[in-house]
Amino acid sequence: MTGPSLAGVWGRKAGSLQSLERYSDALKSSGIIWDDRSLDAWLTDPDRMVPGNEMPFNGIKDGRARADLLAFLKEATKPGGPTQRNAQAPMGSMGGMMGGMMGGGGRDPNLKSLDPNMQVKAITYCHDTYRVTTADGKTRAFWERNLRMKTDSGKDGPQSGAPALVRE
Ligand code: HEM
């Protein structure tokens, strides 16, 4: 959700997905319909095609690389294509300590049904350290700059009042 889902993007009107609330006015009012040509121009130089768009990406100047990418995307984003069948989130790069907290199999866990080691019961803060106590009775210490808060109002987000501890 950093950007729009590209599932089914061919034939779609630019800036039209209900699931993204943060489209720029520039993209929404561009009138573009995504097809081979418009996607090629967008990926060459997004700012040139839609001044004021908010996609933080400079574009791909190498025509061959762009053609390869578009050929891949055309297959991958087809309705019923691989993105819908196998929408696996990549594992974060930080292995180790918190690895056991993930649901396993490389998918983000559903935070509505939490294992005890992910259920946050208490947090204390002293000097530069947060101590997070989870429902399995363990307390883990974090350097303050390594602990971040995120919210998730989606279907896999936590129950209100039941914060979860997950690794990035
Ligand atoms: C080769 C890589 C990329 C491709 C193929 C791509 C493709 C696209 C397409 C086709 C759209 C328009 C979708 C629509 O109208 O619904 C779009 C918009 C957007 N993309 Fe990308 N994108 C790429 C890289 C990125 C990156 C790296 C980011 C962010 C880190 C990003 C964030 C966004 C955002 C925020 C928008 C909405 C822009 C706006 O509203 O002005 N994209 N992207």
Side-chain angles (χ1 to χ4, degrees), residues 33-50:
I33 306 289
W34 295 120
D35 60 16
D36 293 347
R37 276 185 63 160
S38 58
L39 283 166
D40 189 61
W42 173 248
L43 292 180
T44 305
D45 190 344
D47 287 337
R48 179 151 178 225
M49 187 183 196
V50 183

Side-chain angles (χ1 to χ4, degrees), residues 104-128:
R107 303 185 75 99
D108 285 340
N110 179 327
L111 300 180
K112 295 225 159 36
S113 50
L114 291 176
D115 291 342
N117 65 345
M118 298 171 73
Q119 285 173 38
V120 176
K121 289 292 173 199
I123 303 181
T124 62
Y125 176 56
C126 190
H127 305 303
D128 67 354

Side-chain angles (χ1 to χ4, degrees), residues 42-97:
W42 173 248
L43 292 180
T44 305
D45 190 344
D47 287 337
R48 179 151 178 225
M49 187 183 196
V50 183
N53 85 82
E54 285 168 11
M55 171 156 129
F57 187 64
N58 288 334
I60 301 171
K61 308 303 170 201
D62 178 341
R64 178 70 190 271
R66 237 171 25 246
D68 286 349
L69 174 62
L70 286 169
F72 163 76
L73 280 176
K74 201 169 188 175
E75 257 325 287
T77 62
K78 268 188 192 160
T83 46
Q84 279 94 329
R85 286 202 306 272
N86 185 24
Q88 282 218 339
M91 292 289 273
S93 53
M94 282 178 53
M97 185 182 82

Side-chain angles (χ1 to χ4, degrees), residues 1-6 9-10 12-17 20 22-28 30 32 34 38-39 42-43 46 50 52-60 69-70 73:
M1 291 304 290
T2 292
S5 166
L6 299 184
V9 69
W10 260 259
R12 187 162 93 199
K13 188 169 179 295
S16 66
L17 274 187
L20 191 78
R22 297 178 300 281
Y23 280 120
S24 62
D25 291 340
L27 194 65
K28 279 192 292 193
S30 67
I32 295 165
W34 295 120
S38 58
L39 283 166
W42 173 248
L43 292 180
V50 183
N53 85 82
E54 285 168 11
M55 171 156 129
F57 187 64
N58 288 334
I60 301 171
L69 174 62
L70 286 169
L73 280 176

